Amino acid sequence: MNNAVVKPDYDFSKVKTVRVGQFSSVKRYKGISDAVQNAFIQDLLGSGYNVVSDPNVKADCIIEGSVTSFYRVREEWIDNGFYYGYPGRYRRRYRWAGMPAYDGIVYNNTVSIGISARMTDVETGQVVWSDSFNNENWDEDSAISGVVKSVLKSLPKEKINSKK
């Protein structure tokens, strides 16, 4: 579930050039912050925005935020006293004491990520959009891509009228 909040009466159609800032991380998830930043850049470019990286180049808005959670979930099982915790999906034939052999499927190495993002108007300094989302997928790239796409779905493309 997205938690999007937008500034009423802000004209998002005027946003043409965006700078994507760093995505901080309290726990310092290695490389994940850069991967999230790159995923935002790719999605924004694909959506038709001009994306700049140089802070000296004029931008209409800045998108930045934080990686709020990141972890790998591993399902493991024990077969005849041996530990099996290999990454990925695999099948293995195994037998419990006195039972016939049967195939088991182990799904593991699931990746979960949460991000929080905000867009700030460079001219006014006002935050005009904010959203957060959590995503889970089989691999790191898919989890990151999925969470960024979900968050950017809530970014308006036109003026948001207030509900007065």
Side-chain angles (χ1 to χ4, degrees), residues 49-88:
Y49 289 96
N50 298 317
V51 181
V52 296
S53 59
D54 187 344
N56 298 318
V57 174
K58 184 171 174 7
D60 300 314
C61 288
I62 299 172
I63 292 180
E64 55 197 351
S66 61
V67 177
T68 57
S69 65
F70 178 78
Y71 57 93
R72 289 178 180 87
V73 178
R74 296 189 67 172
E75 293 180 25
E76 303 153 349
W77 51 271
I78 297 175
D79 177 10
N80 294 331
F82 293 100
Y83 167 79
Y84 296 94
Y86 305 108

Side-chain angles (χ1 to χ4, degrees), residues 7 11 21 28 42 56 59 68 100 108 124-126 151 158:
K7 180 173 177 25
D11 190 356
R28 311 266 189 261
Q42 289 173 343
N56 298 318
T68 57
N108 61 0
T124 65
Q126 293 181 336
V151 165
E158 68 261 346

Side-chain angles (χ1 to χ4, degrees), residues 87-105:
R89 293 192 261 182
Y90 63 95
R91 295 181 71 87
R92 178 163 175 84
R93 182 170 290 274
Y94 59 98
R95 173 191 307 254
W96 293 104
M99 300 295 289
Y102 59 97
D103 288 332
I105 301 174

Side-chain angles (χ1 to χ4, degrees), residues 3-6 12 18-24 36 40 44 61-68 115-121 125-133 151-152 154-155:
N3 301 301
V5 179
V6 296
F12 286 91
V18 178
R19 180 170 49 250
V20 179
Q22 292 291 323
F23 278 75
S24 64
V36 169
F40 267 95
L44 290 167
C61 288
I62 299 172
I63 292 180
E64 55 197 351
S66 61
V67 177
T68 57
I115 63 169
S116 178
R118 68 188 168 277
M119 177 184 268
T120 305
D121 183 290
Q126 293 181 336
V127 175
V128 296
W129 166 84
S130 179
D131 197 1
S132 60
F133 195 75
V151 165
L152 284 177
S154 72
L155 182 62

